Amino acid sequence: MATPSSPFSFLGDLFNRIGERLQPPDWAVHEIQHRAVLFLNHVLQQEPEAQQRLLRQQGRVVRFQWRFVTMELVATPAGLLDLAPAGAVPELTLTVTEDSPFDIARATLRGDKPSVQIIGDVQLAAEVNWLVDHVRWDIEDDLARVIGDVPAHTLGNAVRRVAGALRQFVGDRTAKFGGSAADAAGKVE
């Protein structure tokens, strides 16, 4: 008897086929990357320790890759990020090895990091890992500036409850469709 596969495998295959055929125009990619840098800098400005760490990495280039998506960032003298100039040689390349966006989302919901291949400077990789582990977007604080403290806190609590239920759902499905009990609980073996 065959083991059941994920009900999302069809969607994953569809995403792969579409992603290989449809490439956005260069101007759209450039604009999306600029918006991503603005968002990352907004989050970094809320964490002075992160800015100090980036300041020490000033001028160093990191390339992030996932499938057909590539983005090269450089640490600025302000302790923030910018898009690296064309032709810049990265000192560190981080490639997400998981192809399926659904598997990445599932791992993220479990609290796991996606599998990443690391090539390049070890100390720079350690700094990037610190940033990933310690810098979080305080969405509640940003919402409070727009809608007030109490509504932002209430909305934040509701989102946390929904996220917890989603984590439990994903964990239950992982256990049911072939994941181990440890994977379903969010533990890495």
Side-chain angles (χ1 to χ4, degrees), residues 104 106-114 183 186-188:
I104 292 172
R106 187 176 329 143
T108 302
L109 286 171
R110 283 194 320 248
D112 298 338
K113 292 180 192 174
D183 288 339
K187 298 175 186 168
V188 178

Side-chain angles (χ1 to χ4, degrees), residues 16-164:
N16 289 338
R17 287 194 305 265
I18 290 172
E20 291 169 358
R21 292 189 180 121
L22 294 178
Q23 295 293 323
D26 288 341
W27 65 266
V29 170
H30 192 67
E31 283 302 312
I32 291 168
Q33 289 178 342
H34 273 290
R35 301 293 183 252
V37 168
L38 288 172
F39 173 73
L40 290 171
N41 284 336
H42 170 73
V43 173
L44 287 168
Q45 287 174 328
Q46 296 172 355
E47 182 63 52
E49 174 66 20
Q51 287 183 270
Q52 289 300 314
R53 286 175 175 263
L54 277 173
L55 186 60
R56 294 192 298 260
Q57 304 303 324
Q58 174 181 332
R60 300 183 82 186
V61 177
V62 178
R63 173 184 288 156
F64 295 94
Q65 297 179 164
W66 177 63
R67 299 170 41 117
F68 51 85
V69 177
T70 301
M71 187 165 157
E72 294 179 354
L73 299 173
V74 61
T76 70
L80 298 172
L81 298 171
D82 198 2
L83 291 174
V89 178
E91 296 178 52
L92 177 66
T93 300
L94 303 170
T95 305
V96 177
T97 58
E98 180 59 57
D99 284 337
S100 168
F102 299 109
D103 289 342
I104 292 172
R106 187 176 329 143
T108 302
L109 286 171
R110 283 194 320 248
D112 298 338
K113 292 180 192 174
S115 299
V116 176
Q117 177 187 28
I118 301 169
I119 299 172
D121 186 89
V122 175
Q123 287 183 322
L124 184 54
E127 290 292 345
V128 170
N129 188 55
W130 186 93
L131 292 171
V132 169
D133 285 345
H134 294 91
V135 177
R136 297 286 177 261
W137 178 27
D138 188 356
I139 190 169
E140 218 172 281
D141 185 49
D142 284 345
L143 275 174
R145 292 183 197 138
V146 177
I147 62 175
D149 289 338
V150 173
H153 184 68
T154 302
L155 187 59
N157 284 337
V159 168
R160 283 188 283 278
R161 282 194 303 272
V162 169

